[in-house]
Amino acid sequence: MTSALQLSYELWLRVFSFLSWKDKLTMRCTCSHFKRLMDESRPVWRGFSVVLKDLSRYNRAFWRSLARRQLTSVSLRAGKKRDLKLLSVWLPLLEALRLDNWRGNDLQELKRFHLLNRLTLTACSTPLVNLEFLLPLSHQLTQLSLCNVQLTCPASQLLASISQLTRLGSLLLHHDGSLAIPTLRGVLSQLVNLRFLSWTMINYKRLSQDFFRPGTGAAGGASLSLSDLQLLNYDAAVTQEVLQPLANLRSLSVFHLYSVPGPTCHLQTWLTSLQQLCSLSVHGGHPLVVYADFLPSSLLSLTLCVDLQPEDLHVVSLRAPNLQHLHLEPWSSSSNLVRLLPQLFPCLKTLAIRHHHVSDEDFLGLHQLHHLNTLEILDSFYRPDPNDPSLVVYKPSSRLLQLISDLQKLTNHKVRVITSSHRDALTCACI
């Protein structure tokens, strides 16, 4: 301990800055000296988020510890009205708050958080009869997410409440289809700073001509500021005229409603109209072959969770020759796809694939991707007993660990390899 005391405060903070959140918490518990150093240094905890549940079990010492770190991000599970009041007393600097499985329909206590700018509500056990709790936050919120939340208020009231959030740059609204909102025209015309929108599309069979139109006073060719759009449960007919206001769109994600699609591939219309896209993510719907010829040459990032064949990737490489980021989760096996990647996509910087049924030779052949810096393995699990396929171990197998080690040697350790178990741990740590 004496040697530790000889190092300066600034030097220790520099050392702590290289630690993961898990290692920081472990280091904090080693001695009172490190505990005091870390608790009294806000930079050490910048970006840290804590998950809380059943606040009655935490004592004053716990709350003082959080308060000294000046936390700005909290995830509260199964919370109630009184919990918000307690949080506002001890953590008045909160900027991001996630409420999972909220108990009750009264959220008026959110007005106590004067710095809150990011709010997420997920899987509320009680329907929200109105969104009046948003009004005191109308000049604060920059991000709002309502996911799997039952809303019993009229659609007009919902849109009116959201339209008050004039600083909003990100909006996510996922519901069970109970909301009938004919067009986004009204809300988009008010949210002039909106850059990201994720919207449930299960109610729409055909998008109206004014679905994305900015407003009544806007010219016919007026464009939205929207740059990132996610469509959930999508299967709606659309025309190129409807998509004209999306000229600034750079990222499109489509989660199709049906795994077995109808006769018409609506994605063709989207790709024809959005030739400036840099990022495309497609989940379900038609096989890749149906729309591969429509991919814009501007694509730098592509996620494909669809039915595809090796020859389809050849078309993709011709349509998007500068692709840098590829996430590949075909419905069929990846065994005959991975070997093609170094030749077809030599500019790849990040790659996400499944490794089961991929030969060792093909996996190690990824070292030929000279620009690759991150490889993510999406299926980092194994079945130890061939006679019992139901037994699954959710961690990398010894074979996968050896392959990763061999690949890193071939690339001189320039490639960072992430396993799905590691990714899931990171996801759980985020709010």
Side-chain angles (χ1 to χ4, degrees):
M1 191 68 246
T2 303
S3 59
L5 292 173
Q6 292 175 350
L7 295 179
S8 68
Y9 170 82
E10 292 77 12
L11 185 56
W12 274 120
L13 294 186
R14 178 65 174 166
V15 172
F16 296 151
S17 69
F18 291 100
L19 300 179
S20 66
W21 294 125
K22 181 179 179 179
D23 290 337
K24 286 178 182 178
L25 292 172
T26 301
M27 181 67 74
R28 179 181 174 274
C29 296
T30 57
C31 67
S32 58
H33 178 64
F34 285 158
K35 181 176 182 294
R36 180 180 58 81
L37 280 181
M38 299 184 78
D39 281 358
E40 294 179 357
S41 174
R42 184 179 183 184
V44 169
W45 302 104
R46 185 174 292 123
F48 180 72
S49 177
V50 64
V51 179
L52 303 176
K53 183 179 180 180
D54 186 14
L55 302 194
S56 62
R57 60 181 175 159
Y58 303 123
N59 57 28
R60 295 180 67 86
F62 173 84
W63 288 112
R64 281 195 295 267
S65 173
L66 293 187
R68 282 196 297 269
R69 300 181 215 173
Q70 297 183 306
L71 290 185
T72 60
S73 181
V74 164
S75 178
L76 176 62
R77 295 178 178 174
K80 300 178 182 179
K81 178 181 178 180
R82 63 175 181 268
D83 295 334
L84 292 180
K85 184 176 181 179
L86 184 61
L87 277 179
S88 68
V89 171
W90 286 104
L91 302 174
L93 301 179
L94 275 188
E95 299 175 3
L97 178 60
R98 177 177 178 132
L99 303 176
D100 290 316
N101 193 20
W102 178 254
R103 305 297 177 87
N105 54 23
D106 188 353
L107 289 160
Q108 294 298 329
E109 295 298 324
L110 287 173
K111 64 186 178 184
R112 295 175 175 271
F113 299 96
H114 302 296
L115 299 179
L116 187 67
N117 56 64
R118 303 187 299 279
L119 175 64
T120 299
L121 279 82
T122 66
C124 293
S125 59
T126 306
L128 296 179
V129 295
N130 62 67
L131 298 181
E132 293 180 359
F133 63 89
L134 292 176
L135 296 182
L137 309 174
S138 59
H139 299 296
Q140 297 175 212
L141 287 186
T142 59
Q143 296 181 22
L144 174 65
S145 297
L146 303 175
C147 186
N148 295 329
V149 175
Q150 186 178 353
L151 298 164
T152 58
C153 60
S156 57
Q157 186 182 106
L158 168 72
L159 294 179
S161 298
I162 293 178
S163 298
Q164 300 292 321
L165 308 176
T166 54
R167 295 191 60 210
L168 210 60
S170 173
L171 172 61
L172 183 150
L173 178 59
H174 294 172
H175 58 86
D176 58 3
S178 57
L179 283 174
I181 301 174
T183 174
L184 298 181
R185 180 179 185 177
V187 66
L188 292 178
S189 63
Q190 298 297 318
L191 304 180
V192 296
N193 296 311
L194 197 66
R195 299 293 183 271
F196 170 81
L197 175 65
S198 183
W199 199 262
T200 295
M201 303 294 292
I202 193 171
N203 290 334
Y204 305 103
K205 298 304 178 186
R206 175 177 294 275
L207 301 188
S208 62
Q209 288 296 107
D210 64 345
F211 191 84
F212 291 112
R213 192 173 299 167
T216 53
S223 299
L224 298 167
S225 299
L226 205 63
S227 60
D228 191 343
L229 177 63
Q230 290 185 354
L231 305 174
L232 189 69
N233 294 331
Y234 182 80
D235 186 43
V238 66
T239 65
Q240 293 189 44
E241 289 73 23
V242 174
L243 302 178
Q244 282 182 356
L246 300 178
N248 293 317
L249 204 65
R250 294 295 178 267
S251 178
L252 174 66
S253 299
V254 182
F255 298 81
H256 284 94
L257 178 60
Y258 303 113
S259 57
V260 180
T264 304
C265 179
H266 306 303
L267 187 56
Q268 291 181 355
T269 306
W270 282 86
L271 297 178
T272 301
S273 304
L274 304 174
Q275 286 295 306
Q276 74 289 345
L277 277 182
C278 295
S279 176
L280 174 66
S281 180
V282 186
H283 303 255
H286 287 81
L288 176 60
V289 65
V290 178
Y291 53 87
D293 285 318
F294 295 82
L295 294 175
S297 60
S298 55
L299 278 183
L300 299 177
S301 177
L302 181 61
T303 295
L304 294 171
C305 302
V306 300
D307 184 17
L308 61 91
Q309 301 300 323
E311 53 268 26
D312 302 331
L313 288 185
H314 284 275
V315 178
V316 173
S317 68
L318 296 175
R319 296 292 303 179
N322 300 314
L323 204 64
Q324 298 178 6
H325 312 282
L326 179 62
H327 180 122
L328 208 55
E329 280 192 272
W331 289 357
S332 54
S333 171
S334 302
S335 59
N336 55 353
L337 299 177
V338 172
R339 72 184 64 167
L340 303 174
L341 300 182
Q343 177 186 357
L344 296 179
F345 306 105
C347 299
L348 284 183
K349 296 181 178 179
T350 65
L351 174 64
I353 58 168
R354 296 196 299 245
H355 84 288
H356 286 298
H357 309 297
V358 175
S359 70
D360 294 4
E361 181 182 359
D362 291 344
F363 186 92
L364 296 177
L366 294 176
H367 81 277
Q368 301 172 63
L369 291 167
H370 301 299
H371 300 284
L372 191 68
N373 55 54
T374 302
L375 173 64
E376 182 174 359
I377 310 301
L378 301 168
D379 54 353
S380 300
F381 60 86
Y382 67 98
R383 293 179 171 85
D385 186 355
N387 299 318
D388 185 6
S390 64
L391 180 60
V392 180
V393 178
Y394 290 97
K395 65 178 183 179
S397 65
S398 57
R399 170 185 176 258
L400 177 57
L401 292 175
Q402 184 61 54
L403 283 173
I404 292 174
S405 176
D406 293 344
L407 180 64
Q408 290 180 325
K409 290 177 182 177
L410 289 172
T411 61
N412 197 23
H413 295 273
K414 293 180 180 179
V415 177
R416 177 188 180 217
V417 181
I418 303 173
T419 61
S420 56
S421 56
H422 181 207
R423 178 188 61 174
D424 295 340
L426 291 176
T427 302
C428 292
C430 299
I431 80 163

